[in-house]
Amino acid sequence: MIDAAALAELYKSQLLDDVIPFWLKNSADDEYGGYFTCLDQRGRVYDTDKFVWLQARQVWCFSMLYNQVAQRQEWLDFALSGARFLMANGRDAAGNWYFALNQAGIPLTQPYNIFSDCFAAMAFGQLNKATGDAAHAEIAKQTFHQILQRSSNPKGAYNKQYPDTRSLQNFALPMILCNLVLEIEHLLDPGVVEETVRSCVDTIMDRFYQSESAVILENVTPDGRFSDSFDGRLVNPGHGLEAMWFVMDLAKRSGNAELARKATDIAIQLVEYGWDKKHGGIFYFLDVKGKPLQQLEWDQKLWWVHIEAMIAFAKGYLHTGDQRCASWFSKLHGYTWSHFPDAQYGEWYGYLNRRGEVLLPSKGGKWKGCFHVPRGLFQLWKTMEAISTRQKKLMVQDN
Amino acid sequence: MIDAAALAELYKSQLLDDVIPFWLKNSADDEYGGYFTCLDQRGRVYDTDKFVWLQARQVWCFSMLYNQVAQRQEWLDFALSGARFLMANGRDAAGNWYFALNQAGIPLTQPYNIFSDCFAAMAFGQLNKATGDAAHAEIAKQTFHQILQRSSNPKGAYNKQYPDTRSLQNFALPMILCNLVLEIEHLLDPGVVEETVRSCVDTIMDRFYQSESAVILENVTPDGRFSDSFDGRLVNPGHGLEAMWFVMDLAKRSGNAELARKATDIAIQLVEYGWDKKHGGIFYFLDVKGKPLQQLEWDQKLWWVHIEAMIAFAKGYLHTGDQRCASWFSKLHGYTWSHFPDAQYGEWYGYLNRRGEVLLPSKGGKWKGCFHVPRGLFQLWKTMEAISTRQKKLMVQDN
């Protein structure tokens, strides 16, 4: 049985006594505002570039802690430092978010990546809940509407695909929109929220999830069919697992037990498919037909994949009581806890090789910042609390 | 001592009895022309997309064999099949080469990558030597001049860098131009050839080679200085080693023994820097300041890195007689021969993990085709022949 009460304490402590202090201590740029995310094993800054996506995720993280854990001024001030930096430097004249800035905030990379915009909208939506500042709300809303406008061709002029030869839609945007609309629900027309949720859930569960192969594909044809191509065969099990807990949250919100059940079943299929039976852990990428991949990093074990998978099975267990969730959760906790956290210097390693050895000792970089670990620990803490409450009720009933 | 005569036979046999038959047997697309390069361990086609860069490299390879090894009609016909496919499908209206086509030749990816053009120019230049066909010469010349025009901003409209914040020049283009001008020398004005050679050699040896750190950087500032950024710190030892044998060829052509000596010394510095002292082999990427890299594949061992390094030390030994070249050559031959060739199904594996275990069993894909292995085996065969001739002369003198 899962000792949910003890695990809730463990995750809470790891979040509040290790991970959050690590970022507070090491990532502040006192000169220009915003955050350093390129931190080495000890938390020392090894590069000063600022990636808008990661700046926004960190604003979101500290705003969320302020809103959901405790109204600590230090957390809000830290979120505001990043928000001011982003407001001053993050957007082009049309309001699109750059991908990367230098330390001073001068653009390095054009706004080709719509996920910069997605995380900016999330950040300012969550921050607005803390500040009530209309300027923060306005940025979140404006960015959200631009995302919807760009969604049919997110890369715009930077799209290198030749038109119409092989049109594929990618999983990431509908998946993130599922999560984003709930984040900024307080700022949107309820009809827009419901329509976006309905459309995204259908897209994920009926198009990207393929019942024959029992996986979620990263790219499908516009009408939701399999494309036998490098992109079409690609599976990212962690990505699908992350999406399944987003769908479970939506199912809980609408009281749809059948949807929670379906998301749980798919999560179990995904982890059974993606688990490395030889060395443990979940592969980063697989080819659904077992063909050689383009991604040379396919067999690596990434931090976010494992914490997102833990959340999926914690929530799956909470919603369905399915013992397979408890079993997978325990297995994933064991692997994750023995491989990713760095007991010496704090925070987590991000990248392990197939054998589970540390591939890069850094705690942050261009793609890893202050996001998946704290969000995941918060989600796990709260989910374990809910499971623990239920376990106590059941014990009372048994007596 | 290197047994150059025996090695010449080994490389010749591996080229003519293994590698070339593998591509002749497995890669022909009899339906649409051109080549399949996505071949699994046994040589079976696992994907039918056609990457212009790899199509061109294969045209070059069979044309080169026809010109330099034997005038076999089968080789010329095979080269012509790829050339016809490329002539019919490879370019946009402005004459720029697409990056990828589907099996039938319909564009998949826009012409964002100037290396498609570089290898197309090489292919049609080498083919023209075999056919004397003016149409082939015209394509090579036109493409070469478009490369020079595009060289200041190779990605054109697809360039995502924000202008002027951090302008860096990349090593790959001057390096390839060094090789390309010799390939199509018969089609160019001698002044253009000499100016391009002089400019490229200066750029490589005086800008990208950094004497303080004793490495070749992948990206430097426009005036040849170090940029302390992810791109600026990047070292690809195999890339530098490949460039050093291009420079040795240019040194030989102009009788510049000092340049050959300098290229040899740099090659030795690069391999000493890039060699994995724990597991053997040369790392794919390193950070010159020892900082964490963005490239998750940094510690992998790639086929082309190792065969290009072998060529550099074979030529370095031929030109200088430096025993350190002989020693590194033997070490590299030992590692390469025991790890990359597949004795069961032919050709070479492309991608090993840090420990030297096969990471992807395929013989070709999006980035590996019929190029580095056959070109390398040819270069090694001929260089070992030259070393063997010298060894025999010395033995005669000794008697």
Side-chain angles (χ1 to χ4, degrees), chain A residues 32 48-50 85 100-109, chain B residues 165-166:
Chain A
Y32 291 98
T48 57
D49 283 355
K50 290 174 177 164
F85 181 81
L101 312 170
N102 70 9
Q103 184 185 355
I106 307 196
L108 280 168
T109 314
Chain B
T165 311
R166 185 183 294 148

Side-chain angles (χ1 to χ4, degrees), chain B residues 15-16 19-25 27-28 35 54-82 123 126-127 130 369-371 374-375:
Chain B
L15 174 67
L16 300 179
V19 171
I20 291 307
F22 180 93
W23 292 98
L24 277 169
K25 180 181 166 206
S27 72
Y35 319 108
L54 294 187
Q55 299 290 314
R57 283 173 155 189
Q58 192 157 346
V59 170
W60 176 86
C61 181
F62 279 90
S63 303
M64 183 278 286
L65 291 172
Y66 182 87
N67 292 329
Q68 306 242 21
V69 178
Q71 299 202 338
R72 291 193 200 162
Q73 192 61 40
E74 184 187 25
W75 291 349
L76 184 59
D77 289 344
F78 205 44
L80 284 166
S81 157
Q126 189 65 239
L127 181 63
C370 177
F371 185 67
R375 181 180 75 169

